[in-house]
Amino acid sequence: MKNATDIRCRCLVGGQVQGVGFRPFVYRLAVEEGLSGQVGNTSDGVCLELQGEAAAVERFLRRLPEELPPLARLARLERTDLPPDPALSGTPFQIVQSTGRSGHSVLVSPDMGICADCLRDMRDPRNPRFGYAFTNCTNCGPRYTITRSIPYDRATTSMACFPLCPRCAAEYGDPLDRRFHAQPVACPECGPRLWLVTHAQDSAPPARVTPGAARTTLRQAADLLRNGDILALKGLGGFQLACDARQDAAVARLRERKSRPHKALAVMLPDGEAARGLCDLSPAHEALLLSPEKPIVLCPLRRGAAADALSPLLAPDTGTLGIMLPYTPLHAALFDVLDEDAALPPALVMTSANARGEPLCLGNREALSRLGAQADAFLLHNRDILVRVDDSVAGVFPGSTDAGNQPFFHRRARGYVPRPVPLALAGEDAPTVCGAGAELKATLCLTRGGYAFVSQHIGDLENLPTFRFYEEVSAHLENLLEVRPQLLVCDLHPDFLSARWAEDRARREGLPLLRLQHHAAHAAAVLAECGELDGALALCLDGTGLGEDGQIWGGELIHMALGDLSWRRLGRLRPFALPGGEAAIREPWRLALALREQLAQTSLPASWTDAPDRDLPAAWSDALLHDARAAACAQAPMLREMLRRGVNSPLTSSCGRLFDAVAAELGICLTTSYEGQAAIRLERLAGLATRPDAPPEGTEAFLRPPDGAPDLWEVDCAALFAAVQADAATDGAAAAALRFHGRLAGSLAHMAAQAAARTGCRAVALAGGCLQNALLARLLPQALRGHGLRPLLPVELPPGDGGLSLGQAAWGLRALRLRQLP
């Protein structure tokens, strides 16, 4: 007989609720409350039925969102009340088998770093998983990188080929065990195997690997690293190259083999204590390092004995270092071996294993084939990686000291993808749109209902292998979400490979195609994330984007009403010349020469002909800089003549190119070996001066009101450049660099204030790659607030091109809703 007070309900729970221990959590909660019913995975989410006393059911539903497992995220909970079922009364609560169908609404969990419980298992000699490099549970481990399809069950992952041994099967089937239905669960008896090979050896795994043999393999790998060799290690989303970060010769060899002379290399440290010994960590830095996502965190280096023990070749251009902690059990096991009898905590360079500009290596044979010239040995395993995912890179949010703040992304990938961005402008019935992204730091975005799914960082679409990776990501994300786009949105630039891909697909599949200007897409991305659908302003500051007038934009003030699908440009940086076109991007001294010519100053700066200031970092006086000085002096007369005649010298309003010009004028970066190098050096140089609490006074003097057509306010780049020259002559390069950042922030804020008075908008979105300059990202919001404006910075995505695809997709959704299609 049923109790007269019993009630029954069915709940459908959506969000990140599969593969994260959600069903055993529901089971335990239901048992604690004395409820009958069942819970199971479906393609619509997790479905649960509850029956019991009304008070117990209500308590259960209150506790559910408050006591979630660490990795679970609720997006919705739909309750339907049902008549009580007499057959359920007094029966035990059950976990039932998963069911699937097309058109699911489940969110796949990102890959998560190893949890503290699994680390304890690995470090306990009495535990069966002692030292086992593939230990995991429902609170950690691979998800996205091993998943073929939904529902997320072992059969649909790359663990399907590893039958469970009796011990693992018992854990997998016990709702009270933290490994209950942890799909990658394994142990040395039944799971993936680890082995070491050299170039001449075969990639096939040994027949069986005992725990002792695995430990021997790790010791061999550790010995190679201690000896200065470079190890290719099969990681979570692809291969990594590792070497000892304390050995100059090893780091130099790695740089030479990767053709990466200056760009910073990330370092993996064993734990937070080691990180504190090397860097000045705020609570926000520590919170990011220790988070389950475990990204690479940009941390300010501490000068001292421990920090000096690291190779100075790791990050020669910047005062920060990308630090990460071991996020896979393989990393943890390797560090445990390296730490044995070590005088200092081990520190390993851990960087993407790929040729320059190409995607990560995925499989064992691919790695042996592609990395033969880079690695001395290979640490392999036989768990397949299904999806390439690079490490995420983040700093703390500008001006943040709180541990609870979000990461400020430079690259969003492992640990965060495919976590969706909620969209206020779309409902559950919204059609699917694909934003094709940009050319550099490419991502693509798919919408499904009220969510936008931005892919992992893909890279620069400048070669066929990376473009193939782009296509691979598109196909996998569509299959995983079980959606197909009804509209494609791409960049205005006709030569972007992402735009050509969108054009070809639209033509093949008969889909409509929209083109959205680069900086309008930047603005739309931030406004869509922040839910600002009415009129708002946006400062879009980056390197290059094709404008609607055919010119090269990059320092734009835009007014956008995303809800009405309208935008217009209200301001910009006053254009200056790019002598030699794209050559000026690689040789910033050309840009400084152009601005000097604009100021009618034909003499070369002393910083090009003399030795650099002795107070500057020694790495900046390398051979490349000396060679660049000679080339600049030799070619300057020819460049001046090109500028006077207007030959091959297109105009640009690019903020990134202005940073390049100032860095060249101050003699710290005349040519570049990677994107953003000049701006990175300029920011570090500014850090050598005393930081102000606010932008300097008088920045409104650099603002020029509209002068006829076009009706645009302008920040005078030549005047800012002249101020840099004057500051350098009187107070030195560091003070000039610092004041430049402040004057630029103040001038842009004044321009935004003029536009705010004209439009009535108080919100100002900040977007573009220049916002990854930490000093500018701190000063600019501060200056805007000084005018009573409300700055909006992206939280879920990078401010640069890595987040641009979201703006394209959001624009496309509104176009479909308003039926504004070509």
Side-chain angles (χ1 to χ4, degrees), residues 464-740:
L464 187 59
T466 307
F467 178 64
R468 292 288 178 247
F469 177 32
Y470 177 90
E471 293 182 309
E472 183 182 300
V473 169
S474 171
H476 182 75
L477 201 55
E478 287 184 25
N479 290 336
L480 200 63
L481 298 174
E482 293 186 355
V483 296
R484 291 295 180 269
Q486 295 168 250
L487 171 68
L488 298 164
V489 186
C490 69
D491 196 272
L492 198 62
H493 201 301
D495 294 333
F496 281 6
L497 283 180
S498 58
R500 292 183 179 180
W501 173 85
E503 291 170 3
D504 291 343
R505 182 167 183 182
R507 184 167 52 251
R508 287 195 318 268
E509 300 181 17
L511 297 172
L513 173 69
L514 288 178
R515 299 178 185 277
L516 182 62
Q517 197 276 330
H518 190 86
H519 301 95
H522 270 310
V526 180
L527 296 178
E529 181 187 326
C530 296
E532 292 281 346
L533 304 186
D534 298 326
L537 300 173
L539 282 166
C540 303
L541 312 171
D542 65 2
T544 300
L546 180 64
E548 290 192 317
D549 57 3
Q551 292 192 349
I552 303 168
W553 293 8
E556 317 307 318
L557 174 63
I558 285 172
H559 174 265
M560 176 173 284
L562 185 55
D564 295 337
L565 220 62
S566 66
W567 72 276
R568 56 188 171 130
R569 189 166 61 145
L570 301 180
R572 65 179 179 183
L573 298 183
R574 178 169 286 184
F576 55 96
L578 288 172
E582 288 194 7
I585 299 174
R586 299 185 297 272
E587 299 179 337
W589 67 264
R590 294 170 178 254
L591 299 164
L593 188 69
L595 281 167
R596 279 185 156 252
E597 192 68 18
Q598 193 169 324
L599 290 167
Q601 297 178 1
T602 57
S603 61
L604 294 174
S607 56
W608 290 10
T609 54
D610 300 338
D613 293 351
R614 66 184 62 188
D615 294 333
L616 298 181
W620 294 357
S621 60
D622 58 18
L624 181 66
L625 200 55
H626 287 298
D627 292 346
R629 288 192 185 94
C633 293
Q635 297 179 49
M638 177 189 69
L639 266 292
R640 285 200 197 95
E641 189 63 25
M642 286 174 55
L643 287 164
R644 288 174 186 144
R645 297 188 179 190
V647 175
N648 192 20
S649 300
L651 296 177
T652 183
S653 56
S654 166
C655 187
R657 301 291 80 82
L658 178 60
F659 272 95
D660 292 350
V662 172
E665 178 68 14
L666 296 177
I668 59 172
C669 193
L670 303 188
T671 63
T672 63
S673 63
Y674 64 90
E675 185 194 10
Q677 183 178 13
I680 288 170
R681 287 189 171 187
L682 190 64
E683 182 184 357
R684 183 182 182 186
L685 180 62
L688 300 178
T690 303
R691 289 182 180 270
D693 293 327
E697 299 293 331
T699 52
E700 66 274 8
F702 300 98
L703 189 62
R704 303 288 179 259
D707 182 17
D711 187 19
L712 296 172
W713 285 84
E714 293 183 330
V715 172
D716 193 332
C717 295
L720 284 170
F721 189 78
V724 169
Q725 293 176 323
D727 288 337
T730 57
D731 298 318
L738 178 61
R739 289 177 194 159
F740 166 73

Side-chain angles (χ1 to χ4, degrees), residues 264-393:
L265 294 165
V267 173
M268 183 174 281
L269 298 171
D271 50 39
E273 183 179 354
R276 284 188 291 273
L278 293 171
C279 299
D280 291 317
L281 302 182
S282 69
H285 287 107
E286 291 207 32
L288 273 179
L289 280 170
L290 298 171
S291 68
E293 294 86 357
K294 289 189 169 55
I296 297 171
V297 183
L298 302 179
C299 303
L301 271 171
R302 170 180 294 168
R303 293 304 168 194
D308 290 343
L310 287 180
S311 170
L313 302 178
L314 294 170
D317 289 338
T318 177
T320 63
L321 185 64
I323 298 289
M324 59 179 149
L325 302 186
Y327 58 84
T328 70
L330 175 54
H331 292 133
L334 180 59
F335 268 87
D336 285 348
V337 172
L338 284 166
D339 205 26
E340 295 173 354
D341 303 322
L344 290 171
L348 295 181
V349 171
M350 199 68 71
T351 189
S352 305
N354 54 351
R356 185 170 181 174
E358 292 188 0
L360 283 166
C361 287
L362 204 62
N364 294 342
R365 289 186 178 86
E366 178 189 3
L368 288 167
S369 171
R370 289 175 55 194
L371 302 177
Q374 296 184 11
D376 298 307
F378 295 79
L379 191 56
L380 306 178
H381 61 74
N382 60 339
R383 185 181 70 199
D384 289 339
I385 302 169
L386 300 183
V387 184
R388 302 172 208 264
V389 179
D390 216 328
D391 293 317
S392 293
V393 181

